[in-house]
Amino acid sequence: MRVVMFGYQTWGHRTLQALLDSEHEVALVVTHPKSDHAYERIWSDSVADLAAEHGVEVLVRERPDDEELVARLKAVEPDVIVATNWRTWIPPHIFTLPKHGTLNVHDSLLPAYAGFSPLIWALLNDEKEVGVTAHMMDETLDAGDIVLQRSVPVGPRDTATDLFHKTLELFGPITVDGLAEIAKGRTDFTPQDRSKASFFHKRAEEDLRIDWTWSAEELDRLVRAQSAPYPSAFAFHRGKRLEIVEAEVSRARYGGTPGRIFYREGDGVAIVAGADARRGRNHALLVKRVRTEDGVEMGATEYFTHMGGYLTSRP
């Protein structure tokens, strides 16, 4: 089939490579300009560069809503559009233009985790599996009929970075296999159950801030969800920002005020956590590595030379 791809960053790069290696013809690639947004600088393999290396025409757009783009799409006459990590709304007169419509590939098990940063949100919510969905685009974001869906398990110590690499491997195959289903003439794809839908926004600075009334288990997941190269979860120590780079749930239970720097445990330092911590019912968060305000990373036992005092949510 003759394909136009709308794609961006590493997800789009991997999808485009699979399309170039397949039997399908990539006639045009549409991609976003480079962004300075913290999350968009992380997995930033260039879709434009890969297309250019293979002699494929590239158009760069922030939003796909101008007459020049529409005219070019009509001239190319694609059988289908493939969209992967496209960051803005694609209007109906674009996604319905090809005779087979538009296949969107999203990094969650839809209808759950539509929107942004699905792997981070899924890890925060203690999901047991994550995955990728190929679905037909309609007027509601990430809500079209499901063509294919594939999942991977979330390991007990997986980080968001681990889950990124696991799911990235699914993007190329599910795109090519989804196109094969469309090429067969299938249209009886699975409608999404909207009663099970959830939608999540882009991660923001406030979402990284540690609240010590959360349980140690929840804070452990927050630290793993904000694994490098994502921005780290943070708190404040003596008025200065302190990023928590690595942590786990302590083996013992600790009572006291949430945020209290309490006890050395192995190669970590126990920080009291949880709304019931004053009753001694909760585990502590065992902080193992930190990064200071001036960017120095070190072990927690090296940083916390004296026990006592607090980590706080605000300076």
Side-chain angles (χ1 to χ4, degrees):
M1 288 197 297
R2 190 169 171 83
V3 178
V4 167
M5 199 192 90
F6 283 61
Y8 186 51
Q9 294 181 287
T10 300
W11 298 268
H13 188 278
R14 186 63 61 93
T15 302
L16 177 58
Q17 186 63 67
L19 289 171
L20 292 168
D21 291 340
S22 75
E23 63 184 10
H24 303 293
E25 176 194 0
V26 182
L28 174 68
V29 166
V30 186
T31 190
H32 291 301
K34 291 182 179 180
S35 171
D36 288 331
H37 188 281
Y39 281 88
E40 296 188 8
R41 292 198 307 266
I42 294 172
W43 311 112
S44 56
D45 295 285
S46 174
V47 171
D49 289 351
L50 178 61
E53 288 169 12
H54 288 80
V56 178
E57 180 184 358
V58 178
L59 295 178
V60 178
R61 293 290 189 278
E62 189 63 55
R63 296 181 180 276
D65 54 6
D66 60 275
E67 294 182 3
E68 179 188 2
L69 175 60
V70 174
R72 190 71 195 113
L73 288 171
K74 289 179 177 178
V76 168
E77 297 183 327
D79 296 308
V80 64
I81 290 173
V82 169
T84 302
N85 199 43
W86 185 261
R87 312 300 279 177
T88 57
W89 186 60
I90 299 177
H93 68 277
I94 298 290
F95 71 70
T96 61
L97 189 151
K99 63 182 178 181
H100 293 297
T102 294
L103 181 72
N104 185 56
V105 185
H106 180 71
D107 51 340
S108 83
L109 298 174
L110 294 173
Y113 297 96
F116 298 91
S117 305
L119 296 177
I120 293 177
W121 288 109
L123 183 53
L124 283 170
N125 287 329
D126 201 23
E127 301 291 353
K128 303 308 178 187
E129 63 177 7
V130 294
V132 173
T133 302
H135 69 95
M136 301 309 299
M137 185 173 286
D138 65 13
E139 292 188 14
T140 304
L141 181 64
D142 295 333
D145 291 355
I146 294 172
V147 178
L148 290 173
Q149 194 167 73
R150 288 171 184 164
S151 64
V152 293
V154 178
R157 298 305 302 163
D158 273 349
T159 65
T161 309
D162 296 325
L163 298 181
F164 166 79
H165 289 294
K166 285 183 180 182
T167 55
L168 182 64
E169 296 303 315
L170 303 176
F171 269 78
I174 203 172
T175 301
V176 173
D177 293 347
L179 290 178
E181 295 299 310
I182 294 170
K184 291 176 186 176
R186 279 195 59 198
T187 57
D188 59 334
F189 301 123
T190 305
Q192 294 190 38
D193 182 350
R194 301 309 296 163
S195 69
K196 297 180 180 178
S198 56
F199 186 90
F200 292 81
H201 62 66
K202 288 183 180 180
R203 300 288 290 172
E205 178 84 355
E206 193 63 25
D207 298 312
L208 314 183
R209 187 188 304 273
I210 290 176
D211 180 345
W212 293 103
T213 65
W214 286 19
S215 70
E217 291 79 7
E218 290 171 321
L219 292 178
D220 169 50
R221 292 198 298 273
L222 174 61
V223 172
R224 286 188 287 122
Q226 296 299 151
S227 58
Y230 297 107
S232 297
F234 68 91
F236 291 88
H237 182 235
R238 296 176 179 172
K240 293 185 177 181
R241 181 178 171 129
L242 185 69
E243 295 181 347
I244 309 302
V245 176
E246 181 183 355
E248 62 185 42
V249 179
S250 69
R251 296 180 180 180
R253 291 184 182 273
Y254 297 88
T257 308
R260 178 77 174 182
I261 303 162
F262 195 75
Y263 189 79
R264 291 194 181 191
E265 185 181 312
D267 61 348
V269 173
I271 313 295
V272 177
D276 283 338
R278 290 182 178 86
R279 305 182 192 181
R281 293 179 179 176
N282 290 9
H283 290 284
L285 183 69
L286 189 64
V287 176
K288 307 188 86 171
R289 293 196 67 78
V290 299
R291 184 180 297 110
T292 63
E293 198 168 73
D294 55 0
V296 177
E297 184 177 324
M298 66 183 75
T301 56
E302 180 184 358
Y303 176 81
F304 295 107
T305 55
H306 301 285
M307 296 300 99
Y310 292 89
L311 286 179
T312 61
S313 299
R314 305 281 173 181

